[in-house]
Amino acid sequence: FDTMVTNSDFISIHVPLTPETKNLFDKATILKMKKDAYLINMGRGGIVNESDLYEVMKDGHLMGASLDVIEKEPMQVDDPLLTLDNFVITPHIGMYSKESVGSVSIVCAENVAAMLTNKGELKNIIQ
């Protein structure tokens, strides 16, 4: 973990929120990152300590950060992270598109039919 944190140009987080991952990226961890690195959290809110992220970023330590999950949603309009030019917040619906919703719906329906008729294998929604 420390090798990844200290050597990566981009860190993209995709882990569940557990007691072990709560505040995994706190001030101490973020300060181990390269100054020109980017931190992206697409896992769960609470993995990145947002107050610590702000403190580190306002001091110019990271090149940028993006969160699509935060600990307390929705983000408040006066959140200090929103004052930073190198911070981006996005909704946690990256897969949401007309095409993906249609595809997921079809796979779900096919899986229900396969279960009810005992015919065919279940398909994975994520391909």
Side-chain angles (χ1 to χ4, degrees), residues 9 17-18 29 31 34 41 65 75 84 88 96 100 102 115-116 119-120:
D9 295 321
L17 180 62
T18 66
T29 303
L31 285 172
K34 296 176 177 182
N41 184 15
M75 182 173 262
L84 302 173
V88 175
Y96 191 79
S100 64
M115 289 293 293
L116 292 174
K119 295 180 182 175

Side-chain angles (χ1 to χ4, degrees), residues 14-79:
H14 303 268
V15 298
L17 180 62
T18 66
E20 295 78 24
T21 62
K22 174 85 172 151
N23 291 314
L24 181 64
F25 282 83
D26 59 6
K27 189 172 188 174
T29 303
I30 298 168
L31 285 172
K32 290 178 186 177
M33 294 175 64
K34 296 176 177 182
K35 281 188 161 207
D36 60 348
Y38 293 86
L39 180 63
I40 304 162
N41 184 15
M42 292 182 276
R44 291 289 177 253
I47 296 168
V48 174
N49 182 302
E50 295 155 25
S51 297
D52 289 355
L53 177 63
Y54 172 74
E55 290 300 318
V56 170
M57 289 185 69
K58 79 174 176 66
D59 293 337
H61 186 75
L62 288 182
M63 186 66 71
S66 178
L67 306 177
D68 81 345
V69 288
I70 56 173
E71 190 162 16
K72 293 180 183 169
E73 296 182 355
M75 182 173 262
Q76 300 302 302
V77 296
D78 61 347
D79 190 298

Side-chain angles (χ1 to χ4, degrees), residues 98-116:
K98 185 177 181 180
E99 295 79 13
S100 64
V101 170
S103 296
V104 168
S105 298
I106 290 170
V107 170
C108 289
E110 289 172 345
N111 283 344
V112 168
M115 289 293 293
L116 292 174

